Amino acid sequence: MQHNQKREKVHAVLVKVVFIIFILVIWEAAARMRIFGSRSELLFPPLEVIGKAFIRNFIEGYAGRSLWIYIGNSMLLLTKGLGIGILLSFLFSGLSMVSRNFYHIYNLMVSIFDLLPGVALLPVVIIIFGIKPDVIVFLVVHAVLWPMSRSILDGFLAVPQIYVEAGMNIGLRGAALLWGVYLPAAMSYILSGLKVGWARAWRGLISAEMIFGIATCPGIGLFINQMRTNMNNAEMYAILVVIIIIGLIVQYGILVPIENCTTRKWGMSK
């Protein structure tokens, strides 16, 4: 059984590697064939040019600022927003299980605000709070709070009633019941919501920084916009690679290990 699982993991890695190589080969072929004529160098820069731009972004950056500064500012705002959003989603979802009236109100709020893109709220937020880094934090909180709350609520409602009754029979009530029964039983839903919330928060952060870059707290989105304005397409593609790498690090370095230590270890997922 373990041997088969190991072979499956190796096979999955090989398939992904072959796919990435295939995409890179197609890209390089399109760059060398210059299928878009004079625009080919802008649309499909050779991989060597993108690789040099990748290194140059970290060494030289833009206007004397290394890409590390942009990444650090973005990750700081993202961490604040994610932390607040995750905390609030657990708090409000837990209160929804304690109070039926609160559940109806909060479920309505989730249904409404989950449909509103953060970018659509951006003008209103700027008018109220002005242009400052806290606006981006607010948008990250908005991006993660509603989808994660929806997943947590769905997970709580999917907990078998016999589990809840068993917990109450041993004296669990209120917060103790949430911690001892609801949270472990709904862990697969919680992790699913965390993945969706993280992805939406990451996209919302980059989008907000691209729309209104803050000079005092420049982020990755502002860097992309600066490269686009100056027609530095190779540098722009290189920063897109950085965004993908950061996403993969979070996915396989944080979220997957959490999943392995919880739902997969408990036999709740394959």
Side-chain angles (χ1 to χ4, degrees):
M1 185 67 177
Q2 292 181 350
H3 180 67
N4 291 336
Q5 290 179 347
K6 186 176 181 180
R7 287 181 57 186
E8 182 62 28
K9 290 181 180 179
V10 173
H11 177 263
V13 172
L14 289 176
V15 170
K16 294 174 184 177
V17 171
V18 170
F19 175 76
I20 293 174
I21 294 175
F22 177 72
I23 295 297
L24 294 178
V25 169
I26 293 179
W27 182 283
E28 187 66 18
R32 293 181 180 275
M33 292 172 61
R34 300 181 64 83
I35 57 179
F36 291 98
S38 59
R39 299 177 58 200
S40 291
E41 189 173 349
L42 290 175
L43 296 177
F44 289 98
L47 295 178
E48 181 182 359
V49 176
I50 295 177
K52 292 180 179 178
F54 184 91
I55 297 174
R56 190 162 54 248
N57 285 343
F58 286 98
I59 296 177
E60 300 177 7
Y62 179 79
R65 286 174 171 171
S66 169
L67 181 58
W68 289 114
I69 296 176
Y70 292 84
I71 294 176
N73 289 333
S74 291
M75 297 308 295
L76 178 61
L77 297 177
L78 181 69
T79 302
K80 288 182 179 178
L82 274 174
I84 296 173
I86 292 172
L87 180 63
L88 291 178
S89 63
F90 276 109
L91 177 62
F92 293 148
S93 298
L95 289 175
S96 298
M97 292 295 100
V98 175
S99 171
R100 193 167 187 81
N101 291 333
F102 186 85
Y103 167 78
H104 291 307
I105 295 173
Y106 189 60
N107 189 48
L108 176 63
M109 292 177 61
V110 171
S111 300
I112 294 174
F113 288 106
D114 195 29
L115 299 175
L116 289 175
V119 176
L121 294 175
L122 192 55
V124 178
V125 177
I126 291 177
I127 292 174
I128 296 175
F129 300 104
I131 298 178
K132 56 181 67 174
D134 291 341
V135 172
I136 297 180
V137 174
F138 175 84
L139 293 178
V140 173
V141 173
H142 169 80
V144 68
L145 174 59
W146 312 115
M148 188 162 183
S149 293
R150 184 183 296 277
S151 293
I152 295 176
L153 288 174
D154 289 343
F156 285 169
L157 295 176
V159 175
Q161 186 62 29
I162 190 174
Y163 292 177
V164 180
E165 293 175 356
M168 296 179 67
N169 287 337
I170 61 175
L172 298 181
R173 295 290 188 279
L177 186 64
L178 286 171
W179 183 261
V181 176
Y182 281 103
L183 284 177
M187 185 57 68
S188 59
Y189 287 85
I190 293 172
L191 288 177
S192 177
L194 184 59
K195 292 177 182 178
V196 174
W198 142 253
R200 288 182 56 171
W202 184 227
R203 293 196 302 267
L205 172 79
I206 302 299
S207 300
E209 290 178 340
M210 289 184 67
I211 294 174
F212 79 104
I214 302 176
T216 58
C217 188
I220 297 176
L222 178 60
F223 190 88
I224 295 175
N225 213 22
Q226 290 169 337
M227 295 302 102
R228 179 192 62 81
T229 303
N230 292 276
M231 297 298 289
N232 296 333
N233 284 26
E235 283 78 1
M236 187 174 65
Y237 283 124
I239 189 61
L240 294 180
V241 174
V242 172
I243 291 174
I244 294 173
I245 291 175
I246 293 175
L248 292 176
I249 290 174
V250 174
Q251 175 70 23
Y252 293 100
I254 299 178
L255 298 179
V256 170
I258 292 176
E259 187 177 12
N260 291 335
C261 294
T262 54
T263 56
R264 290 186 179 179
K265 184 178 179 180
W266 302 337
M268 301 172 67
S269 64
K270 296 182 180 180

